[in-house]
Amino acid sequence: MQISGFDYSRVAVDGDVALNVAMAGSGPPIVLLHGFPQTHLIWRHVAADLAADHTVLVPDLRGYGDSDKPADQDGETYSKRTMGDDIVAMAAALGHDSFALAGHDRGALVAFRAAMDHPATITHLAALDVLPTLDMWEVMRGTLGAIGFHLYLMAQPPGLPEQLIAAAPDLFFGHFLDLWTRDPDAIPPDVRAAYLKASREAIPSIVADYRASATVDKAHDEADRAAGNRLGMPVTVLQQDWGDVLPYDAVGLWREWAADLEHQTITTGHFVAEESPETVTTALRALLAR
């Protein structure tokens, strides 16, 4: 499936790795990154709106969708640093040396790392319904870890998680599409089928992405925290209110990383760009005006 009205291209970013990228519009550039277990299609509504007055680039992340899925050789192949470098290289190849960046879920972690590593390139940052990796692991302790069981499953050494997921991939990936959505109609059957097909075909790379969050990604965040590094660009965060289920101070955690922070609690499910695209579009336009 494709986003209506967008052109598509494969853009080389790192050696033999190329990303599938949807492009439309003209004006200041913004890049939109998807999360798990999805593809660039999550942005189909928001991207079409923003393309009225922005150059909008919507890639499949490395390891997802129609982008390349290299084997993980050293634990770094799917680090958020590597995946963030992909996005910077993609934008540069398309003629953009600086751009705004928004990400959802896994894409927000990639966006966060890209913004930390390339502060002169990322002009604005938006993160949808996620905590930075280091904080995520701090929150998901004890019995609260059961909520994020997939984080622990896919953090295991290569072999077991891939085999377990491959035994019932539609059940596994579909579980999250169902559990995390408050409005089932937001993901129509054809889009859901596209997500499940893409995920079935990307099990090793999806697991490698998650495994990196328990190892190298956490180490990168720890190094930045120890060095006192923070995000200098305007930052907007849209986040669910988990209430007593996950009792953490989302605003406080994000403020440790971002001085210029706008934090908004949302009432939709996890897939906010599909459940309430107008909320996301409004927040992104306000961010870009800062």
Side-chain angles (χ1 to χ4, degrees):
M1 291 186 66
Q2 296 187 341
I3 301 176
S4 178
F6 276 62
D7 296 323
Y8 279 74
S9 180
R10 290 186 59 79
V11 180
V13 294
D14 177 24
D16 295 332
V17 177
L19 302 186
N20 174 55
V21 186
M23 300 170 283
S26 62
I30 181 168
V31 178
L32 308 175
L33 305 180
H34 67 86
F36 163 92
Q38 300 176 301
T39 69
H40 75 284
L41 290 173
I42 74 160
W43 293 106
R44 59 195 180 277
H45 307 302
V46 174
D49 187 297
L50 291 176
D53 49 9
H54 288 79
T55 299
V56 183
L57 308 177
V58 198
D60 286 327
L61 294 169
R62 163 192 297 239
Y64 288 80
D66 289 327
S67 289
D68 287 343
K69 304 169 182 64
D72 185 17
Q73 302 292 342
D74 55 7
E76 296 275 356
T77 305
Y78 289 93
S79 74
K80 304 306 139 324
R81 173 160 289 162
T82 298
M83 296 170 81
D85 289 347
D86 283 350
I87 303 308
V88 172
M90 174 206 75
L94 295 172
H96 305 291
D97 295 329
S98 63
F99 54 93
L101 183 57
H104 171 259
D105 188 79
R106 308 304 294 173
L109 299 180
V110 175
F112 172 84
R113 178 45 50 195
M116 292 294 293
D117 289 351
H118 304 276
T121 300
I122 310 305
T123 62
H124 302 75
L125 175 68
L128 275 58
D129 210 32
V130 79
L131 289 174
T133 299
L134 181 59
D135 299 308
M136 175 192 69
W137 287 115
E138 290 296 321
V139 167
M140 293 289 186
R141 287 174 176 261
T143 56
L144 293 179
I147 297 171
F149 78 94
H150 60 299
L151 302 173
Y152 293 89
L153 171 63
M154 290 190 276
Q156 302 308 308
L160 180 64
E162 291 88 345
Q163 291 185 51
L164 290 176
I165 295 168
D170 286 5
L171 178 62
F172 180 76
F173 296 115
H175 168 79
F176 301 103
L177 292 174
D178 295 335
L179 182 66
W180 294 344
T181 305
R182 294 188 185 179
D183 177 10
D185 292 337
I187 304 178
D190 58 338
V191 175
R192 177 188 175 88
Y195 291 156
L196 292 177
K197 179 179 184 295
S199 297
R200 283 196 304 272
E201 296 173 351
I203 292 171
S205 52
I206 290 175
V207 174
D209 165 26
Y210 273 86
R211 184 177 291 120
S213 285
T215 52
V216 63
D217 295 341
K218 181 173 178 287
H220 290 158
D221 282 8
E222 287 172 337
D224 279 321
R225 175 66 56 81
N229 296 333
R230 302 181 77 198
L231 298 164
M233 70 288 295
V235 177
T236 289
V237 175
L238 303 182
Q239 205 143 27
Q240 287 188 82
D241 181 4
W242 283 84
D244 294 334
V245 178
L246 279 177
Y248 62 89
D249 178 11
V251 180
L253 292 173
W254 270 104
R255 202 169 295 285
E256 289 293 318
W257 293 104
D260 184 358
L261 174 69
E262 180 69 28
H263 189 283
Q264 180 179 342
T265 301
I266 56 176
T267 57
T268 67
H270 178 60
F271 304 114
V272 58
E274 292 173 289
E275 294 188 60
S276 185
E278 64 281 357
T279 298
V280 177
T281 302
T282 298
L284 291 180
R285 289 192 178 282
L287 169 66
L288 295 169
R290 280 159 58 191

